[in-house]
Each structure stands twice: as structure tokens, then as C-alpha cells.
Amino acid sequence: MSEPRPSDRHDASESDDTFAEIVDEATQRDPDLAVIEAGSRTLRTASGPVPGDEVPARPADPEVDKALRAVEQELAGRWGETKLEPSVARIAALMDVLGEPQRAYPSIHITGTNGKTSTARMIEALLGAFDLRTGRYTSPHVQSITERISLDGSPMDPERFIETYQDIKPYVEMVDAQQPYRLSFFEVLTGMAYAAFADAPVDVAVVEVGMGGSWDATNVIDASVAVVTPISLDHTDRLGTTPAEIAGEKAGVIKQDATVILAQQPVDAAQVMLKKAVEVDATVAREGMEFGIVSREIAVGGQLLTLRGLGGEYEEIFLPLYGAHQAHNAAVALSAVEAFFGIGAEQPGSLDHDTIRRAFASVRSPGRLEVVRSSPTVVLDAAHNPAGAHATADGLSEAFGFSRLIGVVGASDDKDVRGLLEAFEPIFAEVVITQNSTARAMNADALAAVAVEVFGGDRVQVEPRLDDALEAAITLAEEENEYAGAGVLVTGSVITVGEARLLLGRH
């Protein structure tokens, strides 16, 4: 592994004491695939970049950009994220030859169906506000592959990403030669993340599963806190056809004597999780019981919350994200951080309220009800299954009040597209069907055939190119003066949202 940068070095003799001091201070105070490139048309009136945007552009240095593209190409030559051989044997072998880097720091492990990335970002912000150095591993990315590995709240810079890949590449090739199947794209990235976190070094890692739980590549950590966001039907061909079956797979992240932060779940899924917790002597905190939302009201640019955590109530929390689902994610994130610090178990009291407020106020979640343009307003949301689409539709209706809403939908071929479209049917005046640039994209004509059944032919327009689809939707939103409050929602896939984000000038 490469040597830590001078600014990154920690005195090993002091690290344990320093960490203990931070925990004590926090708990004793009195009452926050590669860069997607698609399309060539310049959309009129595209807004500029958002201050503090957490989605990086291509490297400005041509040599660095060339090197990053080479890494992306090598990774793309491996099994993609949707091709799986359910096993942790390969990633465990890689961890072994790397010296078990994933055991160099405590971790919080996040599974569930929807809300994982937003919850991970909130947990990261909260931990960082208490002066802990964080590593965050999430997937998929919106625009840049480097988003997946975050250090101290920022995506890993391209140079360090390239260096980390080159560091572990010989060990990856060694494992490839010993296994029946080569390490996959996701497994190599997971190995990079765990190695980068140890090399930094971080005080705590926040890790989102890729899919499932027990055989997910991330599941070579022994997290002291396991977070389960809402479970619904997705990846049913791999995880199961009922919430209970899917929960059985996702329960694999719950380790011996851990604390489980359980978001609101279908009854059968909750039963599976609780049974697993009993088997491994884990402590369970349930949303609506041990923690939850006390109050919530719409505010300019987001919402104002009062949350009940494991250590009491936290009032006047401004969350700059839209939708009730994000408020629930915030309650889960807060309780996960309390559990990490021992609040509600070993430690009495609550975390510092002002620090919590500052942390939540800093949270951003690109591609999640994200406004990227005005006149008309264009919103991006990465909903890709029916449960996520319903949450997005509710959040959009609550926060924006559009008089006329045009949808732009491009979905992946392996998703429940009918359920997705049905969730949006009540709020879309018209829908423009399109497709993104990846091989996983559902053909626009095939998706349109389903859309016609859901919306009727007079409400459906087909534009296979995403840039044309965006142009068409903006034109539809603007075409009648009486619809001054018209808007556009781009949705259906993280990839579609990422491509739209680039086309609309967000980079």
C-alpha cells in the first residue's frame, strides 16, 4: 500500500486515546461506472454548478484524465454489478492478501432497498461534525466513479483513486489466478475502498451494501452498527420475491453483539430481522418505538424536523432535502450515530444538539429530488423501483406544487417498470420516454409500450436520445403560458439521472 500523505499521518500511539476522547466529548455534552457522458446538444438556459456540489467533473489535467479512463476501462472489463456469483470467497481472499484492511477501523454497515445512499451521507455528515475522520463507500455513482469512495465527506480525488487501484492491482490479479471466477467490478472497488480507508486512515467507515447482505462483497466487515433502511421488492430474481425473503438475505449484515437500527418495515420483513438479531444477541432499535420523527414541517429549501433519538429529542433540525422519506432517513441516521457513540446503552444523555443541527444542515444528496434548473424547474430523482417512485411522487407533490408536471423516464431493463410508471401516473400530465446510454437500459420503444398502457397514448411521447427527451419535456412544460408553475421530473434510473445532470450543466 502507498504511504499516507504527510497531512494524513496519525500518531499510532495516540490514536486510541484521541478516539476515546472524541467519543467521551460527544456523549457528555449538554443538550448534522465512470463519468457518464451522453448526448451533444446544449440545452438552453442550463443553470450553473451548485456551490458545494459533491459530484466531481472529469480531471482537468489531461494526463490524469487519461489515467483515470484507463482504470475505468480495466474495471469495466470485469463482471458488472448485475452479474453475480453469490459468495464472499473472492473478496475475503483479497482482504487476506491485503492484510485485512477492513479491520483497521470500526464501521457502520447499511442495507435495505431504498434510502441507503442518502442515509449514508447523513451518517457521514454527523460523524464528521464530531471531528471523526470518515470513509464512505456507496453505490452506484451519479456521474463519476470516484464518488463511490469518499474521505472526510468528499469524493476521493482522481490521483488518489488511480494510485489506490494501482496499489491493489497486483493482489487482485493474484486472487484472480486462484479463484474459479475473477473478482468483479464491485468486488475490486470494495477492495479499493477498504484499502483506502486503512491507508488514510479513517476513524470510522460508513459502508453501503451493493445488493443484499450476507453474500454482498462489503460483508467482510464486522460492523458494530447495522442499519436497515426500508425493505421492498427489488432485485427479486436474486434476493427473493417477498419482503421476508429479501430481509433474510439482508439480515446477513447483522453481526454478533451489534446494534441494529431498524427503519419502518413490512411486518414480515421486520420479523425476519428481529429473529436474526435474537440469534446473534444484537440490540435492536426500531423506528416508531425507540426512535422516530416527532414533528415535520415544510421549509424553504427543505424541511424542519424534531427527531426523537436514542438519547432524547432533537428540535429545530433543518434538513435541506425534500420528502417525508428523507425525514425518516434522518431519524435512522441520527440513531445510528447515537448507537455508534453508545448513546442509549453504555452512555447516558444525548449528542450535542447544535452539532447535530449543523451536520444535518450540511447534508446534500445529488440526484435525490435535486433541483438543477429553473424556468421551468427541472428536478432529478433516482427512483428506480415502485416503492422509491411512490416516495418521490409524494415528496414532489408536497414540496413543489407544480401546476403541470412532465416526466422524463428512462429505466433499466431488469426493473418493475410498470410499477414505477403506475406510481408516477397520478402526478405526470405527460411523460417522455427515453433511454440512457448503457447496455442495461430498457429500449425506449419497449418502455413506451408499457407507458401507453399506463398513461394512454395521448400522454406518451418517445425520444430515444436523452438530450432530445429533455428538450421535448422542457418544451411541453413551457408551451402554454397559463402553466407558469410547470416542471419536469427526470427519473427511472441513477444512470439516467447522472446523464441528465451532465446535459443540464451539473458537473
Side-chain angles (χ1 to χ4, degrees):
M1 299 305 298
S2 62
E3 288 295 318
R5 301 177 181 185
S7 61
D8 294 341
R9 297 181 187 273
H10 283 201
D11 187 332
S13 65
E14 298 178 358
S15 60
D16 291 342
D17 290 341
T18 301
F19 184 74
E21 289 173 6
I22 291 170
V23 172
D24 183 66
E25 180 183 2
T27 56
Q28 296 300 324
R29 290 174 178 169
D30 294 327
D32 204 308
L33 308 163
V35 168
I36 302 166
E37 296 176 297
S40 59
R41 180 172 302 179
T42 301
L43 298 170
R44 63 189 188 280
T45 326
S47 56
V50 180
D53 194 359
E54 296 182 1
V55 179
R58 294 297 315 182
D61 185 326
E63 291 303 313
V64 175
D65 187 51
K66 181 180 178 181
L68 180 60
R69 289 182 188 278
V71 171
E72 292 168 350
Q73 187 173 3
E74 289 188 25
L75 288 170
R78 295 180 173 272
W79 273 4
E81 290 175 280
T82 59
K83 187 173 183 179
L84 304 169
E85 193 278 317
S87 169
V88 294
R90 292 175 300 281
I91 188 67
L94 180 60
M95 293 297 99
D96 181 54
V97 297
L98 289 176
E100 304 291 344
Q102 81 282 14
R103 307 201 187 282
Y105 39 80
S107 54
I108 297 174
H109 207 175
I110 306 170
T111 189
T113 302
N114 292 308
K116 296 188 294 295
T117 298
S118 293
T119 302
R121 285 179 173 275
M122 293 178 195
I123 292 172
E124 174 188 51
L126 288 163
L127 292 169
F130 287 104
D131 300 321
L132 293 183
R133 185 161 204 205
T134 58
R136 171 172 52 84
Y137 181 52
T138 54
S139 60
H141 54 272
V142 177
Q143 286 176 204
S144 172
I145 195 171
T146 60
E147 297 166 39
R148 294 178 179 236
I149 305 174
S150 172
L151 294 170
D152 288 329
S154 298
M156 182 183 285
D157 64 64
E159 294 87 351
R160 195 165 190 172
F161 187 91
I162 295 163
E163 180 184 7
T164 301
Y165 176 75
Q166 295 299 340
D167 280 346
I168 76 164
K169 183 179 176 180
Y171 301 97
V172 169
E173 292 173 344
M174 185 187 307
V175 173
D176 283 343
Q178 298 170 348
Q179 297 290 324
Y181 302 99
R182 296 172 70 214
L183 287 152
S184 69
F185 169 89
F186 186 75
E187 288 168 334
V188 174
L189 278 173
T190 302
M192 288 175 61
Y194 289 160
F197 296 161
D199 200 41
V202 302
D203 296 315
V204 55
V206 182
V207 178
E208 173 189 337
V209 303
M211 186 186 300
S214 62
W215 46 255
D216 187 77
T218 62
N219 201 31
V220 288
I221 53 175
D222 291 316
S224 60
V225 179
V227 175
V228 187
T229 66
I231 291 173
S232 59
L233 300 182
D234 199 8
H235 301 295
T236 53
D237 56 330
R238 299 176 180 87
L239 302 180
T241 58
T242 67
E245 290 177 352
I246 294 172
E249 179 57 42
K250 293 181 182 293
V253 305
I254 302 174
K255 303 299 170 58
Q256 188 74 33
D257 299 321
T259 299
V260 183
I261 304 300
L262 194 61
Q264 291 181 346
Q265 304 289 348
V267 173
D268 55 346
Q271 289 173 337
V272 171
M273 289 290 172
L274 293 171
K275 180 180 178 182
K276 173 67 174 183
V278 169
E279 290 172 356
V280 297
D281 293 322
T283 301
V284 179
R286 300 156 293 177
E287 184 180 7
M289 300 290 286
E290 287 77 22
F291 70 93
I293 301 170
V294 176
S295 66
R296 186 178 77 89
E297 58 185 271
I298 306 305
V300 176
Q303 50 194 309
L304 193 64
L305 310 174
T306 296
L307 301 177
R308 186 179 76 255
L310 305 181
E313 289 191 5
Y314 299 79
E315 299 178 339
E316 296 181 351
I317 294 173
F318 174 69
L319 181 67
L321 301 175
Y322 300 107
H325 60 295
Q326 295 290 16
H328 288 284
N329 291 339
V332 169
L334 173 61
S335 296
V337 172
E338 286 185 309
F340 180 78
F341 283 127
I343 297 292
E346 297 90 353
Q347 298 285 349
S350 60
L351 298 175
D352 181 68
H353 290 214
D354 287 338
T355 304
I356 294 296
R357 293 186 188 106
R358 286 196 302 272
F360 274 121
S362 73
V363 170
R364 301 292 182 271
S365 195
R368 277 74 179 178
L369 283 178
E370 179 187 20
V371 178
V372 294
R373 185 191 191 275
S374 58
S375 300
T377 300
V378 177
V379 182
L380 307 180
D381 192 88
H384 55 274
N385 56 46
H390 280 293
T392 295
D394 290 344
L396 197 73
S397 299
E398 175 186 77
F400 292 91
F402 291 121
S403 59
R404 175 179 170 85
L405 181 63
I406 309 300
V408 175
V409 179
S412 296
D413 202 26
D414 58 345
K415 298 298 180 181
D416 179 3
V417 295
R418 180 178 295 277
L420 180 86
L421 293 168
E422 287 175 345
F424 286 122
E425 190 278 331
I427 68 169
F428 286 167
E430 297 181 59
V431 61
V432 181
I433 298 299
T434 189
Q435 64 189 71
N436 59 57
S437 64
T438 68
R440 288 183 59 198
M442 186 172 188
N443 176 271
D445 289 334
L447 181 57
V450 181
V452 167
E453 294 177 3
V454 174
F455 289 86
D458 59 335
R459 295 168 62 194
V460 178
Q461 182 172 332
V462 184
E463 296 289 351
R465 284 175 49 126
L466 181 56
D467 53 352
D468 291 337
L470 291 171
E471 190 73 39
I474 290 170
T475 300
L476 286 169
E478 292 176 332
E479 68 181 2
E480 297 183 44
N481 291 334
E482 65 181 289
Y483 293 118
V488 174
L489 174 67
V490 184
T491 191
S493 162
V494 176
I495 298 166
T496 300
V497 162
E499 294 185 353
R501 208 171 186 276
L502 273 176
L503 289 167
L504 291 163
R506 289 309 225 259
H507 45 68

